[in-house]
Amino acid sequence: MVGIVLASHGGFADGIAQSAQMLFGEQNNFAHVILKPDEGPDDIRGKMEKAIASFDDQEEVLFLVDLWGGTPFNQANGLAEKHEKWAIVAGMNLPMVVQALTERMMNAKATAHQIATAVVEPGKDGIKTKPADLMPKSKAPAAAKEAAPAKGTKKSIPEGTVIGDGHIKYVLARIDSRLLHGQVATGWIPAMKPDRVIVVSDSVAKDELRKSMIREAAPAGVKAHTVPLKKMEEIAKDPRFGNTHALLLFENPEDVLRAIKGGIDLKTINVGSMSYKEGDVNANNVLSMNQKDVDTFHELEKMGVKFDVRKVPSDQAGNMDAILKKAQSLLDEKK
């Protein structure tokens, strides 16, 4: 496994490491070193050497540093000159670190050079502005301009057209009361590689502000939509979505049950987060339930649905039976 070293002036690397591990959980072969105001080049070089010595594999090392030409970069460069398999990427930001951890998680045989190449575009794409028109305009290549459709051209696929095998692919179906947020955008989406995120919720579909926030929270290259349950049932039966790989997000188990009864073919549900509401009990640190929730999970279980209880892909799966038993016990105590 590639060892990853984050390095920066001041506490920047420490903060990014903490943020990344909030999304991915504790990481092995992952270090963060900083150059303090009263330290010099030899100090941070020594920290780098100590970090690398702790890695399981010192043949493959990737440095993510804050500034090209700064002291952390220069010391990493001095170390890397003796190791042709090592790599350095400057301009470190959180999307870049998240992509590095994702690449490593998805492919244990990935090299430092491969991961270095993979993190550059996500690092760039992580830079966005609001309003969006504050982003500098990039010039499109001439060939792209020529290929662009004329204004007013409508790209629509006639009803009844069968694309691919005519069946939408669900790469993940997740219960998460926060819907599309950091753990989904930087953990599950890179891991599952959907081309669309679909929030399935009658209430959110009526809320223009939340719909807008969900669209804007989607990472580059992934479209985010919000649809009511009936619309999702139509999409599930529409053969024009045969090449679509969708990640579905539900706010609660009741909506999942309605979706399955409506014909949406979901075999496994990722249970990520259910925030506390009045009348709930805390089944664990991220799942709060009421009696209706517990009964719904049991009904889904009887239908053959499996539960994958994880906040992020790197978590160990939780025991849903134990969680439901604890929730039921706490609910009985409240009666």
Side-chain angles (χ1 to χ4, degrees):
M1 176 184 285
V2 174
I4 298 174
V5 180
L6 312 185
S8 72
H9 298 79
F12 182 47
D14 290 347
I16 283 200
Q18 183 182 47
S19 297
Q21 290 187 119
M22 284 179 68
L23 299 169
F24 281 82
E26 291 294 321
Q27 295 290 306
N28 296 321
N29 300 297
F30 180 65
H32 42 103
V33 300
I34 65 171
L35 177 66
K36 297 179 180 179
D38 59 348
E39 293 179 332
D42 290 342
D43 295 297
I44 195 164
R45 185 186 183 98
K47 293 176 185 179
M48 290 175 174
E49 291 172 332
K50 183 178 179 181
I52 294 165
S54 72
F55 293 161
D56 295 334
D57 179 5
Q58 284 130 43
E59 291 297 312
E60 294 280 354
V61 175
L62 172 65
F63 292 93
L64 301 179
V65 304
D66 57 351
L67 186 66
W68 185 274
T71 299
F73 168 83
N74 291 336
Q75 295 309 305
N77 191 41
L79 294 171
E81 284 180 348
K82 302 174 184 177
H83 301 272
E84 63 179 21
K85 292 184 178 181
W86 293 10
I88 307 171
V89 182
M92 175 174 60
N93 59 16
L94 184 55
M96 182 186 293
V97 176
V98 164
Q99 189 64 35
L101 294 175
T102 300
E103 294 290 329
R104 195 176 70 166
M105 178 181 67
M106 298 302 293
N107 181 9
K109 295 183 179 179
T111 66
H113 285 192
Q114 289 170 335
I115 296 176
T117 300
V119 304
V120 174
E121 286 303 319
K124 292 179 182 178
D125 291 338
I127 303 171
K128 297 182 180 181
T129 66
K130 188 173 180 65
D133 59 10
L134 299 180
M135 286 290 287
K137 301 293 187 293
S138 57
K139 292 183 178 180
K145 288 182 179 179
E146 291 171 8
K151 283 188 176 180
T153 301
K154 189 174 181 180
K155 290 184 176 181
S156 61
I157 302 171
E159 286 188 25
T161 303
V162 179
I163 303 295
D165 63 3
H167 299 286
I168 191 170
K169 314 300 183 299
Y170 304 111
V171 299
L172 184 78
R174 176 178 171 91
I175 296 172
D176 192 328
S177 54
R178 293 182 292 169
L179 298 172
L180 181 50
H181 60 99
Q183 290 174 346
V184 176
T186 61
W188 288 106
I189 289 176
M192 306 310 296
K193 295 181 170 39
D195 46 56
R196 292 178 191 268
V197 173
I198 306 177
V199 171
V200 185
S201 169
D202 289 347
S203 60
V204 181
K206 298 174 184 176
D207 189 328
E208 291 302 323
L209 177 59
R210 292 185 73 186
K211 285 168 63 176
S212 174
M213 291 173 66
I214 286 165
R215 283 194 300 270
E216 293 177 5
V222 178
K223 294 183 178 179
H225 310 270
T226 303
V227 300
L229 269 81
K230 284 294 182 185
K231 181 64 176 178
M232 189 64 223
E233 291 172 16
E234 295 174 13
I235 292 170
K237 297 169 185 173
D238 193 327
R240 290 176 293 181
F241 290 92
N243 280 344
T244 298
H245 294 77
L247 188 156
L248 304 188
L249 294 173
F250 298 89
E251 290 184 285
N252 54 61
E254 291 76 29
D255 283 352
V256 173
L257 180 61
R258 286 177 58 198
I260 292 175
K261 286 183 174 180
I264 298 171
D265 187 21
L266 303 176
K267 299 288 194 282
T268 300
I269 303 298
N270 170 239
V271 184
S273 171
M274 294 172 61
S275 58
Y276 181 84
K277 311 178 298 297
E278 187 176 352
D280 284 358
V281 296
N282 294 317
N284 65 15
N285 62 333
V286 294
L287 297 176
S288 299
M289 305 179 191
N290 57 33
Q291 189 63 59
K292 187 177 181 182
D293 296 328
V294 172
D295 292 343
T296 301
F297 277 121
H298 283 308
E299 187 172 352
L300 288 166
E301 197 170 30
K302 288 177 183 176
M303 295 170 70
V305 175
K306 305 296 182 184
F307 302 117
D308 173 25
V309 186
R310 287 186 291 168
K311 290 187 296 182
V312 294
S314 58
D315 282 349
Q316 292 292 321
N319 185 322
M320 193 61 174
D321 287 338
I323 291 169
L324 292 175
K325 284 179 182 177
K326 180 180 177 182
Q328 187 63 63
S329 176
L330 292 170
L331 287 164
D332 290 343
E333 288 177 9
K334 288 181 65 174
K335 291 179 181 177

